[in-house]
Amino acid sequence: MMKGMERKMKILVTGGAGYIGSHTTIELIKAGYDVVVLDNLDNSNEKVLDVICEVTGTRPTFYKVDLLDYDAVDQCFSENKFDAVIHFAGLKAVGESCRIPIRYYHNNITGTLNLVDIMQKHEVYNIVFSSSATVYGMPKTVPITEDFPLATTNPYGSTKLMLENILTDVFKANDKWSVTLLRYFNPIGAHESGKLGEDPKGIPNNLLPYVAQVAVGKLDFVHVFGNDYDTPDGTGVRDYIHVVDLALGHLKALEHKTNQPGVHIFNLGTGNGYSVLDVIRAFEKACGKTLPYKIEARRPGDIAICYADAKKAKEELGWEATRDITEMCEDAWRWQSNNPNGFCEL
């Protein structure tokens, strides 16, 4: 991929110390890219950079910067000649977004407007955007294809859909742009080394880190929100994708869409749906113990069933997920059991 190039492509990864961003940074470095990480460390830890260096032998340049700080982001661009940006940075919890919507709208939208304005100022026209399957709202059927109607059920999803529209309009106004919108389903798992995984600050918002913390003894039981959905066992069904498979999807997007003007939209998922209880059982197998759980009321904004049709990514990017739920849970357990308190103890 890098043959014949005078220099490595330089990629800015916003939110690169976060869960998905850090795994993607590892895969970018392994593939020969020059990576700069920008992160405000709001929901991440600078020790992640030490792990990235340990795993790859290269420490990415790091800017502790918030996208809401326009001048600091502009300074980062002035000091580097970027070829493309992979944009992960943003607040990301569905339930929390329903409680504090103003913070979500301000942070996610204003931060991205700053980023795109600065990219244009510095003539960087390639962006891969971390979108979400939440833009599909409550789909009438599954699997979900990229041409499904778009609607949202919570403020987090609404910020993703608004940003998809904004980035589409940016291209319409200036056809130099290559905008790739990657609609993730549910990332779980961890790096196979056991040295890097999901490390949320405080009580986890997402299912798998919560299950892992119950398994390691930090939390008492798993909260199962709703068992009256129209699904095989009554619990919500999602398309869980290994975070390394997801990271590799970003490399494929860069490889195939950099400097190709347009708006390119891809689902990144496995095409398989697993219920909350399926995940708990798979994790019990990985950790070798029974995990207590408690059925509770549905959460606002949650939907019954959601899984991807990812054929387009396979056909156009040559990408597909290869890791199954067993491997996802085994890798997550390796990370959690090695690091029961996450990066706090490194």
Side-chain angles (χ1 to χ4, degrees):
M1 181 167 55
M2 295 297 178
K3 287 178 182 175
M5 298 183 67
E6 293 180 6
R7 65 178 182 90
K8 293 180 180 179
M9 283 181 68
K10 183 176 265 196
I11 312 299
L12 175 66
V13 181
T14 74
Y19 175 46
I20 305 170
S22 60
H23 285 82
T24 302
T25 296
I26 284 176
E27 299 304 325
L28 288 168
I29 292 170
K30 284 168 58 179
Y33 291 94
D34 184 5
V35 183
V36 174
V37 168
L38 184 149
D39 201 300
N40 67 0
L41 303 180
D42 181 58
N43 192 36
S44 54
N45 194 305
E46 196 167 350
K47 292 173 184 173
V48 168
L49 299 165
D50 297 331
V51 176
I52 291 170
C53 183
E54 189 179 342
V55 170
T56 66
T58 300
R59 187 182 182 86
T61 303
F62 175 61
Y63 287 80
K64 185 179 183 297
V65 167
D66 194 306
L67 289 178
L68 295 174
D69 185 342
Y70 188 99
D71 291 341
V73 178
D74 190 43
Q75 181 68 24
C76 174
F77 274 78
S78 296
E79 292 174 4
N80 299 275
K81 183 172 175 53
F82 294 119
D83 296 283
V85 175
I86 302 182
H87 178 31
F88 295 104
L91 299 172
K92 62 171 190 171
V94 167
E96 184 181 65
S97 78
C98 295
R99 294 194 303 274
I100 51 171
I102 292 171
R103 186 173 178 224
Y104 268 69
Y105 286 114
H106 177 58
N107 184 85
N108 292 4
I109 294 173
T110 308
T112 304
L113 289 173
N114 285 347
L115 173 66
V116 173
D117 189 44
I118 291 164
M119 287 176 68
Q120 197 152 253
K121 176 181 170 184
H122 291 270
E123 299 185 333
V124 181
Y125 296 114
N126 293 299
I127 187 168
V128 177
F129 175 57
S130 167
S131 191
S132 165
T134 55
V135 301
Y136 295 115
M138 292 193 177
K140 288 187 171 60
T141 60
V142 287
I144 297 165
T145 59
E146 288 85 353
D147 58 1
F148 267 39
L150 304 180
T152 58
T153 62
N154 56 75
Y156 163 73
S158 295
T159 67
K160 293 296 187 183
L161 183 52
M162 288 179 186
L163 289 170
E164 285 199 7
N165 290 334
I166 288 166
L167 290 168
T168 299
D169 286 342
V170 165
F171 165 72
K172 287 177 181 175
N174 182 347
D175 63 9
K176 290 181 181 178
W177 279 88
S178 171
V179 173
T180 304
L181 308 175
L182 298 181
R183 294 174 178 163
Y184 311 164
F185 281 67
N186 291 69
I188 61 173
H191 193 266
E192 63 183 5
S193 66
K195 296 175 180 177
L196 187 67
E198 191 165 6
D199 183 36
K201 292 185 177 177
I203 303 296
N205 286 299
N206 295 331
L207 174 64
L208 203 86
Y210 206 105
V211 171
Q213 289 192 18
V214 170
V216 87
K218 286 190 71 177
L219 297 171
D220 293 332
F221 57 86
V222 182
H223 299 266
V224 177
F225 296 106
N227 68 340
D228 56 350
Y229 288 108
D230 185 16
T231 62
D233 62 21
T235 64
V237 169
R238 298 291 181 271
D239 186 337
Y240 294 96
I241 176 173
H242 197 295
V243 66
V244 174
D245 278 333
L246 186 59
L248 291 168
H250 294 77
L251 268 69
K252 290 294 188 181
L254 282 178
E255 185 180 339
H256 289 274
K257 298 305 176 186
T258 297
N259 297 324
Q260 284 196 17
V263 178
H264 317 289
I265 303 172
F266 298 98
N267 288 335
L268 295 184
T270 65
N272 298 307
Y274 297 97
S275 74
V276 174
L277 295 183
D278 288 336
V279 173
I280 292 172
R281 292 186 197 104
F283 208 92
E284 286 178 335
K285 189 176 175 185
C287 71
K289 59 182 87 171
T290 301
L291 303 178
Y293 63 87
K294 183 178 176 183
I295 304 295
E296 300 183 7
R298 296 182 183 190
R299 289 184 302 192
D302 275 352
I303 61 175
I305 186 164
C306 179
Y307 61 92
D309 181 324
K311 290 192 189 77
K312 186 180 176 192
K314 183 177 181 180
E315 290 166 2
E316 290 192 29
L317 302 181
W319 173 90
E320 64 181 325
T322 61
R323 295 159 178 84
D324 63 14
I325 192 73
T326 299
E327 192 170 349
M328 297 178 211
C329 289
E330 287 172 352
D331 288 345
W333 174 240
R334 187 179 303 112
W335 150 253
Q336 193 71 67
S337 58
N338 287 345
N339 306 276
N341 296 311
F343 290 106
C344 294
E345 61 192 21
L346 293 182

